[in-house]
Amino acid sequence: MINNSSTFLLLRLAVGMSMFGHGFVRVFKLAKFSEWMLGKYENSLLPAALVKPFSYALPIIELVIGVLIIIGLFTRQALLVGGITMVILIFGSCMIEDWGGIPSQMIHTFFFALLLSNLNHNSYAVDSASKKQ
């Protein structure tokens, strides 16, 4: 049981740090990130009216998901939102034929799903500590 909990913690921290890092570096340059994303999608089927708000929300979503996963708070919900975010990003990558970006998004999705399916091993987390009280 200790090995399963330690393994879960290690994977949870890695996935959380990846999401946190993506969001953290982007949140300080939201306008620039949004411009970059709008440029990538300008010739796609996705209208700028959808891309622009998403480009501003994505770094904040990544940052919040990362923090929640790292500390293990609302872990199930954070993993679900993280997985859904990856599915949206995969769709977006398909719309601009960015086939090179999809493997990374698929790997993240796989780890979100793996963590979700093993939540019973989430022992070292705020969620677990609050249940013991």
Side-chain angles (χ1 to χ4, degrees), residues 1-18 65-73 75 79 111 114-129:
M1 177 79 166
I2 283 243
N3 285 338
N4 290 337
S5 296
S6 299
T7 302
F8 187 93
L9 173 64
L10 183 60
L11 184 56
R12 194 189 83 218
L13 290 175
V15 170
M17 190 56 67
S18 178
I65 289 169
V67 168
L68 291 175
I69 291 173
I70 288 169
I71 65 173
L73 179 62
T75 309
L79 291 170
F111 285 124
L114 183 63
L115 287 166
L116 270 170
S117 67
N118 286 283
L119 269 175
N120 57 313
H121 298 296
N122 193 24
S123 301
Y124 306 116
V126 174
D127 288 338
S128 296

Side-chain angles (χ1 to χ4, degrees), residues 20-87:
F20 175 81
H22 275 85
F24 186 77
V25 300
R26 293 173 175 165
V27 80
F28 294 105
K29 53 181 181 179
L30 277 174
K32 192 169 190 153
F33 176 73
S34 179
E35 287 175 33
W36 171 81
M37 209 164 168
L38 282 166
K40 278 191 80 136
Y41 285 87
E42 71 183 339
N43 295 320
S44 76
L45 296 173
L46 297 174
L50 285 179
V51 176
K52 189 169 186 171
F54 183 76
S55 70
Y56 276 97
L58 180 61
I60 296 163
I61 292 167
E62 290 169 329
L63 183 67
V64 171
I65 289 169
V67 168
L68 291 175
I69 291 173
I70 288 169
I71 65 173
L73 179 62
F74 304 117
T75 309
R76 181 179 182 278
Q77 295 86 343
L79 291 170
L80 280 169
V81 172
I84 291 166
T85 301
M86 287 300 127
V87 171

